[in-house]
Amino acid sequence: MIDKNISFFTNQNLRSIARRLLKQIPAAIKSAQIYPADHPYFINSLELVQETLAELFKYRPEATFSIVENELYFGHLALVEDTLSLRQFISEFEKRKINSLTFLAAVTSAELASFMQLLGREAVDNSDSALLSGKMREKNITNIQLGALLKAEDAASQEDGRREEMKFDAAARNKAQGSFFGSIDVIKQIMHKVENTQGFALNNVHQVVADIASAIDNNNKYLLGLTTMKNFDEYTFNHSVNVAILSLYLGKLLGLDLEQLRLLGEAAMLHDVGKVRIPKEILNKQGKLTPAEWEVMESHSTEGAEVLSQITGISELSLAVALEHHMHYDLSGYPKPVKLKETSLLARLVTICDVYDAATSLRVYHAPALPASIIGLIISKKGSLFDPVLAKAFVQLMGIYPVGSLVRLDNNALAVVYANNLNNILRPKVILVNQQTAGRDPVIVSLEDIDRGTKTFKYSIIEALAPQAYNVDITKYFYAQG
Ligand SMILES: [Fe+2]
Ligand SMILES: [Fe+2]
């Protein structure tokens, strides 16, 4: 919420301050191990931590580090560099089973001193986050928190703003549906023209891309949900639009300006145009393709670039994306690069969105994969198949349980993930499956909600499930018919 409108450069600045703090905290812990509380070295190491925290508090009221899948995040920002100090910080907290650490702006130097001494002097073996939290309470450390990110009082004070945000907005949903289906019509017409060896004009593409970009800019929360609608019969059209929507969300998150977004949207929408030139019996073949058929299938990249090169006003980027979207970050994949040392940045961005949408769709040759497992795949193949920085940004955008995931909560209820949460990728907004009644607006629940009694999260996700196995129709949560 807080960060969405902060510029790319502010985020870079925040990252660098956060990284500095990551070096200073272990140094202060070490110093607490060696020196008594009143020793100048220890006091000095605390002062450094406090100064850096003060810099962070200029931007936001709290500073939260969290570890997700062995990666460190500051707020929703991935701290991408793999430095030794970052690894040490992660292992220090993993040893103690801590998965998040929050400093509130009111933190005092006395609290910081007690906290560093606790971490420095307690035996690691018998201290985990619950034990440590108990000891912190004993020592009156209230402005440093482990594990849970919010106190009940904070949650209550945020509730008013959240109620507005959680309200179902039929007008915004209709607008999102308008842009979505308008885009499908445009790509359909283009592909029919290409099939009949006709050229096509780009102005319609630019119009729908501008529509999508402006919906994203206005924080329309319904557009991302529509990408979960996978139309089996018209796969290539839906897929092209889905990849464009995902790419534009990711581009926006990375701080691209409107002109860059326009080029990115054009390229993403047209990335698979070459499929028109692949014989239908190969495109829709049930079962495995022979090596010769694969070769034909793979030619859709070069065919696409060739088709697009004849279109007046097309951007170079669209040609590059059509040609390179099946080349991997390490240049494996296809087609084999001739002179290329690396693929273009925005092609690498489209590639991630392409893989995600294709793998989560039902095809003749595969069942849809769980969105959460493709997020896992993208994390595990970053640096080989996928650009590592873009892969992390994608995970930030989609969360660990992306929109459209069916999940089981810790009270055993089933829920559909409805909207992502950039501030906490493990706690999206969901709709409880059995509480959705026909003809009524969906009731949206935030997994950030805190139970006032127990002061813990009301619901947490335990696992992702396959919707087919539970007879849940994900589409109906995102698409209003009529
Ligand atoms: Fe493709
Ligand atoms: Fe594709």
Side-chain angles (χ1 to χ4, degrees), residues 405-426:
S405 297
L406 178 68
V407 293
R408 187 194 305 285
L409 303 180
D410 51 358
N411 64 349
N412 223 14
L414 297 189
V416 173
V417 176
Y418 194 66
N420 57 341
N421 175 4
L422 286 177
N423 290 315
N424 187 339
I425 58 176
L426 284 169

Side-chain angles (χ1 to χ4, degrees), residues 94-349:
E94 278 180 341
K95 270 189 294 194
R96 298 167 190 274
K97 302 190 188 75
I98 298 171
N99 51 29
S100 76
L101 169 64
T102 299
F103 297 93
L104 301 176
V107 68
T108 63
S109 52
E111 284 177 307
L112 282 173
S114 309
F115 180 67
M116 301 306 171
Q117 283 166 337
L118 258 182
L119 287 185
R121 292 176 189 171
E122 288 300 319
V124 169
D125 298 346
N126 55 17
S127 72
D128 64 16
S129 64
L131 214 71
L132 209 53
S133 293
K135 289 192 172 150
M136 286 165 66
R137 269 195 300 277
E138 278 167 27
K139 293 195 178 292
N140 281 329
I141 305 175
T142 55
N143 291 305
I144 305 176
Q145 300 176 349
L146 306 177
L149 301 180
L150 284 172
K151 288 194 295 187
E153 307 87 81
D154 299 332
S157 69
Q158 287 183 8
E159 238 167 41
D160 285 345
R162 188 181 293 155
R163 210 171 289 142
E164 197 48 44
E165 196 197 331
M166 302 286 286
K167 242 199 299 188
F168 179 76
D169 181 347
R173 179 153 91 171
N174 291 343
K175 197 162 185 318
Q177 285 188 192
S179 306
F180 184 80
F181 291 108
S183 306
I184 290 197
D185 281 344
V186 165
I187 189 70
K188 209 187 250 183
Q189 283 166 17
I190 286 177
M191 288 201 164
H192 285 316
K193 285 196 168 158
V194 174
E195 208 166 5
N196 296 317
T197 57
Q198 293 171 332
F200 59 88
L202 284 169
N203 53 352
N204 289 342
V205 179
H206 292 160
Q207 185 55 53
V208 291
V209 165
D211 272 2
I212 296 172
S214 98
I216 294 174
D217 216 29
N218 292 328
N219 207 3
N220 188 312
K221 55 194 171 197
Y222 300 97
L223 209 48
L224 196 58
L226 288 172
T227 65
T228 64
M229 262 211 319
K230 318 281 187 181
N231 188 328
F232 180 75
D233 296 323
E234 301 203 318
Y235 167 74
T236 305
F237 308 135
N238 268 66
H239 170 67
S240 302
V241 171
N242 290 348
V243 172
I245 292 175
L246 293 169
S247 299
L248 287 170
Y249 266 102
L250 190 52
K252 167 90 180 141
L253 182 73
L254 292 165
L256 299 190
D257 64 28
L258 270 180
E259 174 60 14
Q260 290 167 316
L261 288 178
R262 191 176 68 87
L263 295 175
L264 173 63
E266 173 193 299
M269 193 82 90
L270 299 172
H271 79 279
D272 264 343
V273 101
K275 285 209 173 157
V276 168
R277 294 215 179 148
I278 308 301
K280 295 267 182 304
E281 56 278 16
I282 294 182
L283 209 54
N284 299 323
K285 184 179 174 185
Q286 300 199 12
K288 264 190 154 173
L289 297 182
T290 64
E293 287 167 335
W294 255 120
E295 213 169 289
V296 177
M297 185 67 140
E298 289 179 355
S299 71
H300 82 272
S301 306
T302 43
E303 291 287 341
E306 151 72 21
V307 165
L308 294 180
S309 68
Q310 290 163 27
I311 301 303
T312 316
I314 195 92
S315 88
E316 283 295 315
L317 178 70
S318 295
L319 304 189
V321 167
L323 187 68
E324 298 170 8
H325 72 277
H326 290 284
M327 282 184 194
H328 303 139
Y329 182 65
D330 59 9
L331 295 184
S332 62
Y334 65 87
K336 291 279 163 277
V338 187
K339 281 191 196 137
L340 219 57
K341 290 211 176 67
E342 60 170 15
T343 53
S344 50
L345 177 73
L346 294 185
R348 302 202 290 269
L349 185 157

